[in-house]
Amino acid sequence: MTTILLVPVEAFDIDAFATKTADTAFLPFASFEQAAFETALAKNNLDDLLELVYAKVNESADDIKVVAGISPQHPYANQVNRDLALALDADVVLVGDNAALLSIGKAVYGERVVGEVATAGDAKAFIKAGSRKPNLSPSAFRVELVKNAQAAKKRIVLPEGAEPRTVEAAVICQTRGIADCILLATKDEVQKVADEKGLTLPSDLQIIDPATLQEQYVAPMVERRKGKLDEAGAREQLQDTVVLGTMMLQMGDVDGLVSGAIHTTANTIRPAFQLIKTAPQYSLVSSCFFMLLPESVAVYADCAVNPNPTAEELAEIAIQTADSAKAFGIEPKVAMISYSTGTSGAGADVDLVANATEIVRQRKPELAVDGPLQYDAAVVESVAKSKAPNSPVAGQANVFIFPSLSVGNALYKAVQRNANVIAVGPMLQGLNKPVNDLSRGCLVDDIVYTIALTAIQAV
């Protein structure tokens, strides 16, 4: 499937041009109206609108989709056209006959440019499948994430049932069909939050008073932790809604759990370690974030669980994360990150990463992996050619495995905050059933997408 974006370099009626070029051309201004773009730009939430554009464009069954760009008569045209090209992962046909402006367009869109034309007749010659390697854009990732979660139709328990961001996220997920959410709280508590935030609670949103559930899980919990817990201890622990939600998951009464908006990571995952336990093929639990960078989606690990992994543990984290990337539509190219590339540096930390890389290669010979690699060598092609010219991953990595929790946690937060990047996760890997943690600084959108991730993991 190929998307062609017609980008005008001069002011004229690009919608009419696009309709002459292709019978089924998609016209963003006609579909969403000019005001929608202006409002989105003013409120700095163009990403949400681009997500809608991506979804609308991909409703078409056409193998080649033609989309009209925005005419330069609008002052924001350059920004919107550039963001449209990225969101749609589109090949670009520049439209106009001003040589200087066409030259600027080629510099802006780079390898995406497949042609320069002055007439619709000329443009038709470029409406064909492109040879450029496809790239999963952040908009595409979010749309596919929601679509796959909607198809999964899973039940997700939210132990922090009266926490305001969680309530709002549950309303969004229930309304959009992302998941059937279960809030552990009293109806009065949730209604109070809804009233304060001006939310209408969907009639099918389940709100369950934890006190009405606790007793039924006492015996199963004692059995699950045989020899380590008696009935009195189980009753006491089940007062904690995270423990209660984890038992609901263990017993198959829900399909996944999301918590952490007000609980620490330890509070969220400790019950999972004790009650859900690790999947048989793994020896540990790790975490990853899907980082929605401006032009692509990267996966970072481990950023939340393992402080100082051994070489064997680091290798397992890499394999888990590669599997997670593949499950969400990303073909993994794994960079084992260090302060050294190849043999340029020496020391215990470098040896750790080198040994982990070898273990991954032995266990997963088909996986594209390399290390140790410095971050710039992993992502910048020109640096890769200089530092690691024979690497199968350098310059094009999309999965990044950090040597310690200090590095991973600090780096994901730095990228998230300084580059204004959405970080979806942390998604826990290696458990028998999906339990996912939130950052206590999370936004409503973070919770929505984590619920969607959890629903897909439960399939």
Side-chain angles (χ1 to χ4, degrees):
M1 185 183 74
T2 299
T3 301
I4 307 290
L5 179 66
L6 301 175
V7 176
V9 298
E10 303 167 68
F12 70 100
D13 189 347
I14 187 63
D15 283 6
F17 183 96
T19 341
K20 289 178 185 175
T21 304
D23 294 336
T24 56
F26 179 76
L27 315 175
F29 264 13
S31 292
F32 294 100
E33 299 185 354
Q34 179 178 332
F37 284 88
E38 292 168 354
T39 301
L41 287 161
K43 293 183 176 179
N44 197 31
N45 64 352
L46 184 60
D47 284 348
D48 291 344
L49 184 55
L50 292 174
E51 190 178 326
L52 294 175
V53 172
Y54 176 90
K56 199 76 177 172
V57 168
N58 283 277
E59 285 177 4
S60 164
D62 294 346
D63 289 335
I64 300 172
K65 307 173 196 303
V66 176
V67 180
I70 309 301
S71 175
Q73 67 199 56
H74 303 289
Y76 47 81
N78 288 339
Q79 178 187 345
V80 173
N81 285 334
R82 188 171 59 250
D83 289 348
L84 275 173
L86 294 174
L88 300 172
D89 190 28
D91 288 339
V92 170
V93 173
L94 300 172
V95 181
D97 57 12
N98 184 306
L101 294 176
L102 288 169
S103 178
I104 293 171
K106 286 173 70 176
V108 169
Y109 295 99
E111 64 172 6
R112 291 187 181 276
V113 177
V114 294
E116 306 163 38
V117 300
T119 70
D122 293 338
K124 288 180 180 179
F126 295 101
I127 309 305
K128 58 185 179 182
S131 57
R132 183 178 52 82
K133 192 173 182 182
N135 179 54
L136 181 68
S137 72
S139 294
F141 179 83
R142 296 204 297 179
V143 169
E144 294 302 319
L145 185 65
V146 169
K147 190 163 71 175
N148 290 336
Q150 289 168 333
K153 300 185 185 302
K154 296 299 180 181
R155 300 159 298 165
I156 307 300
V157 64
L158 306 171
E160 300 159 325
E163 194 280 320
R165 292 163 297 172
T166 301
V167 172
E168 187 172 351
V171 169
I172 291 169
C173 287
Q174 201 70 35
T175 303
R176 296 181 64 185
I178 292 171
D180 286 326
C181 293
I182 299 168
L183 294 170
L184 294 184
T186 66
K187 290 188 177 179
D188 287 346
E189 288 173 325
V190 176
Q191 190 61 59
K192 182 183 177 186
V193 171
D195 291 343
E196 289 172 352
K197 295 182 73 69
L199 300 170
T200 300
L201 299 175
S203 59
D204 58 347
L205 175 61
Q206 270 194 280
I207 303 166
I208 303 178
D209 183 345
T212 66
L213 293 177
Q214 290 156 0
E215 191 61 32
Q216 74 188 67
Y217 293 107
V218 171
M221 186 170 176
V222 171
E223 177 64 25
R224 186 66 173 162
R225 302 209 65 208
K226 189 177 290 186
K228 297 179 181 178
L229 193 70
D230 59 16
E231 286 192 4
R235 281 193 183 90
E236 184 180 348
Q237 288 192 25
L238 285 165
Q239 301 291 318
D240 182 336
T241 54
V242 178
V243 175
L244 178 61
T246 306
M247 274 306 300
M248 294 172 71
L249 177 59
Q250 168 57 25
M251 298 303 293
D253 296 327
V254 296
D255 302 304
L257 179 149
V258 173
S259 182
I262 53 178
H263 287 84
T264 65
T265 294
N267 289 147
T268 296
I269 66 177
R270 188 185 299 113
F273 289 157
Q274 296 171 341
L275 301 168
I276 304 298
K277 304 185 179 178
T278 55
Q281 69 270 36
Y282 295 125
S283 62
L284 58 72
V285 173
S286 66
S287 70
C288 72
F289 279 90
F290 292 88
M291 306 295 292
L292 307 192
L293 305 175
E295 297 188 21
S296 62
V297 180
V299 191
Y300 286 3
D302 181 357
C303 304
V305 179
N306 297 284
N308 293 293
T310 64
E312 290 77 12
E313 289 169 339
L314 196 60
E316 186 158 314
I317 291 167
I319 291 167
Q320 289 178 343
T321 309
D323 287 344
S324 293
K326 191 169 281 192
F328 288 89
I330 300 167
E331 189 57 39
K333 293 187 176 179
V334 183
M336 309 292 283
I337 299 300
S338 173
Y339 62 77
S340 167
T341 293
T343 57
S344 68
D349 292 343
V350 177
D351 292 343
L352 171 78
V353 175
N355 292 338
T357 304
E358 284 308 310
I359 294 169
V360 175
R361 286 176 177 149
Q362 289 166 15
R363 288 180 57 184
K364 290 281 184 178
E366 74 283 4
L367 182 62
V369 61
D370 200 10
L373 287 171
Q374 291 162 288
Y375 197 97
D376 58 352
V379 298
V380 181
E381 218 170 307
S382 58
V383 177
K385 285 177 182 176
S386 168
K387 291 186 174 184
N390 300 315
S391 171
V393 164
Q396 51 185 331
N398 52 19
V399 174
F400 301 84
I401 307 302
F402 303 111
S404 70
L405 185 56
S406 291
V407 176
N409 189 270
L411 186 60
Y412 111 76
K413 285 183 183 292
V415 173
Q416 179 190 38
R417 298 299 179 180
N418 289 344
N420 195 28
V421 160
I422 292 174
V424 181
M427 185 179 88
L428 297 184
Q429 311 171 127
L431 286 167
N432 269 316
K433 295 184 178 184
V435 172
N436 283 314
D437 181 35
L438 298 164
S439 164
R440 279 166 286 172
C442 63
L443 304 175
V444 172
D445 274 357
D446 297 331
I447 303 175
V448 169
Y449 290 120
T450 302
I451 290 171
L453 277 178
T454 308
I456 295 167
Q457 277 184 293
V459 173

